[in-house]
Amino acid sequence: MSFTVRAITLDLDDTLWPFAPIGARIDQVLYEWMLEHSPATAAMFPVAAMRELRERSFRENPHLHHDLSALRRLTLAEALQASGASLDLLEPAYEAFYAARNQVEFYPDAVDALARIAAKVPVAAVSNGNADLERIGLMQHFAFQLGSRDHGYAKPHPSIFHAACQRLGCGHGEVLHVGDHVEMDVAGAARAGLRTCWINRTGEAWSHPELEPDLHFDTLTALADWLDAHLAC
């Protein structure tokens, strides 16, 4: 398939690195932090109970689904208050969480492939998550990072894709959105008028009933190879 690609928007979690190990590390780091700084909170909210509290907060606050940092602070505040701990611990606890959240383990191909892609076209990070590319050490490969928290709407809402295109100075159909999630990334970007690339590292069958991605690869390296060949032509 051949089409114009003037810029790329790129998902982060489960595209450049797997999120599951990060989530498990966060749970353990927060529990150990509470053990040291608020034992009563740790006793009332061990790992499983804190996870349940976080999931309940997510269900009960749909107006915050675009802002995972606010939801995390809400969860921590509820845990501290329920266990009789001081809310002065909220921000230090959040910082312990955020440091662990930004300790990522890249997919083996991700960094080299990203550097190759960014050398060809501008790349913008478009994510619903709250990763910090400066902390992670990847910001040099990106034109900018646009998160749902700052934008006010999360993928698959079309406005976050359109905002990225506007900042890139490109028409919607000139931008290729790359990500792992069938609905949030591929379907959302396609409905917003962008070209789409599904990074399917797990070998899943395509399941969307209405549309298909323009491109489908199992690694980011394969996309870099396609881009090299496409731009050479």
Side-chain angles (χ1 to χ4, degrees):
M1 179 177 289
S2 180
F3 48 85
T4 300
V5 178
R6 290 186 54 208
I8 283 175
T9 53
L10 183 67
D11 176 56
L12 299 177
D13 290 323
D14 292 320
T15 298
L16 292 181
W17 55 74
F19 183 76
I22 300 171
R25 185 187 310 115
I26 287 168
D27 289 343
Q28 190 61 32
V29 164
L30 274 176
Y31 176 67
E32 291 174 1
W33 191 93
M34 290 298 182
L35 273 177
E36 179 179 354
H37 298 280
S38 181
T41 309
M44 184 174 288
F45 295 98
V47 168
M50 185 69 84
R51 187 182 302 124
E52 182 179 344
L53 177 60
R54 186 182 73 249
E55 292 171 354
R56 179 172 61 78
S57 294
F58 187 87
R59 290 193 305 270
E60 294 179 354
N61 294 278
H63 63 291
L64 292 177
H65 284 185
H66 69 285
D67 190 345
L68 298 184
S69 293
L71 280 168
R72 179 68 65 168
R73 284 189 170 93
L74 178 61
T75 300
L76 291 170
E78 289 183 9
L80 291 168
Q81 287 178 313
S83 58
S86 171
L87 285 179
D88 291 343
L89 295 174
L90 175 58
E91 287 307 314
Y94 180 84
E95 178 54 36
F97 146 76
Y98 203 53
R101 195 268 180 266
N102 286 296
Q103 293 173 5
V104 306
E105 300 169 6
F106 299 107
Y107 290 114
D109 68 303
V111 177
D112 287 345
L114 173 61
R116 288 175 56 196
I117 292 167
K120 296 286 186 181
V121 294
V123 180
V126 177
S127 174
N128 290 351
N130 51 7
D132 184 333
L133 290 174
E134 291 285 1
R135 288 200 188 202
I136 292 169
L138 285 185
M139 197 64 225
Q140 70 270 21
H141 298 302
F142 290 88
F144 58 86
Q145 179 174 3
L146 178 60
S148 58
R149 178 188 182 188
D150 295 327
H151 177 67
Y153 289 95
K155 296 181 297 184
H157 197 283
S159 68
I160 192 169
F161 297 107
H162 293 166
C165 292
Q166 183 175 16
R167 287 182 64 176
L168 288 163
C170 298
H172 302 163
E174 299 172 319
V175 176
L176 176 69
H177 181 69
V178 181
D180 71 289
H181 199 282
V182 170
E183 180 61 32
M184 300 295 181
D185 291 309
V186 180
R191 292 190 189 107
L194 282 69
R195 294 288 188 168
T196 59
C197 175
W198 185 35
I199 301 298
N200 175 24
R201 296 182 181 273
T202 58
E204 296 179 27
W206 180 254
S207 59
H208 199 282
E210 299 171 8
L211 52 83
E212 293 186 359
D214 294 301
L215 301 172
H216 174 192
F217 300 118
D218 59 2
T219 65
L220 208 61
T221 294
L223 172 61
D225 291 342
W226 179 90
L227 197 62
D228 284 347
H230 180 74
L231 293 183
C233 295

